[in-house]
Amino acid sequence: ELTKACFSVVDIHALLFLSFKQDKHFLVAAADFLQGHKAAVNAKLAPNLFRVPGKERAVTHAMVVKSEEVQTPVETTWGAPLVWGDKTSSAWYRAKFAQKEIRTGLLVLVVGTYARFIRRFLSSAEVYFLPGKMVTYYILTDSPSFLDPPIELEPGRLLKVVPVAELPGWDRLFYRRMSLLADTIRNPVGEEVDYVFCADVDQEFVAPVEDEIFGDLVATLHPELYGMPRNAFPYETEEASSACVEEDEGDYYYTSEFYGGLVSEVYKLARACSFLILQDQANGVAARGLEESYLNRYLIDHRPSCVLSPEYSWWDSALAANVPVQRLVSLGRQYFPPTKWT
C-alpha cells in the first residue's frame, strides 16, 4: 500500500510510467494516493473517459500531474476576468450589477429520459441561481407532463415550456441541439431577456451562482482539464471536421454544460455551431467531442469576455479540479472505476 512514508509524488510519477503495463490497478492506487495530496494523475497509457449522455469515449493525454495547490488566477491571458465566486473581484461584479434590473433566461433541453432530472434542477436553481433576480426558465421538452404538478417559483421567476419533437438517440439530439437553442433564442428568448445561459439538465446548483457570471460571452472551464497542459486538451484533430483545432491554437478547454452571455452573443454562438455541425453531417463527419468540440472551436475564434472557473461546472471524478466551492455539479457525469477502462 502506498503511504507518505514510502513514496513521494515524484516517486509515484515515475512508478506509474514503469508499472502500468503490468498492473492497471497499480495506477488506480497511485492515483488515489495523489488525490490525497489534492493532485490528479492523467497518464497517456491510461485513457480518461469523457462521458456524454448516451456515449462514452476514450481520450488519451500526455502524462501530467496536477499541482496540489489550487491555482486561482483572476484573469485570462487576454485580459478577461476568470471568475472564482468568493474572490474580491467577484464581489465587485456583484456590487456592479446589484442595482440593475437584469432579465436572465436559463435555457434547458429536456428530452427523453433526461426529464427525470428537471424537477431537481429547477428546485436547486430557485435557491442558488441568481437569487433575487428576474429569471425565466425556458424548458425545451418533448415531455411537458414531467412538470406536473408545477414547481412553486419565487417572485420574479417564470417558467416557459417550449415544445420540441421527440429526439430518440443521442446522435439525433447532438445534430439538433445547437439548432434548437438558436431557434429558441431568436424567438421567444431574444424578445424577453437580456442575458441567457444554456445548461445541461442533469446538474444541480449547490452553492450561490450570482451576478459575477454576467458578461457579453461567458464560457466555463472543463473541470477535468483545468490546470492541464495545452497538449492534453481533447480538441478535434481530424482535418475534415469543421471543429478541427490546429496545434498552435487554443488557450483553455471549455465544458458544454454551462455557458451564456448576452442574448445576441449566445445566439451567434449557437447559430454558428449549428451550421458547422450540419455541414459536417452533410459530409459524413462528426467531431469526437460532439457539440463540445464545436463550442471550443467557436470560443477559440471568439474569445469569451468572461471565463468561469470549474466551480461552475464540477463533477465527481478522480481528475476533477479541486475547487474552493462547488457551485454547479453534474449528476450525469461521474468517475468510472478501472474495470471500465479500455
Side-chain angles (χ1 to χ4, degrees), residues 266-285:
V266 182
Y267 173 67
K268 291 176 187 176
L269 180 155
R271 183 181 62 178
C273 289
S274 173
F275 175 79
L276 296 179
I277 290 169
L278 295 176
Q279 179 176 276
D280 276 4
Q281 182 185 24
N283 294 327
V285 178

Side-chain angles (χ1 to χ4, degrees), residues 191-203:
E191 301 173 355
E192 299 175 346
V193 299
D194 308 303
Y195 291 84
V196 63
F197 288 85
C198 303
D200 283 0
V201 70
D202 54 345
Q203 299 182 96

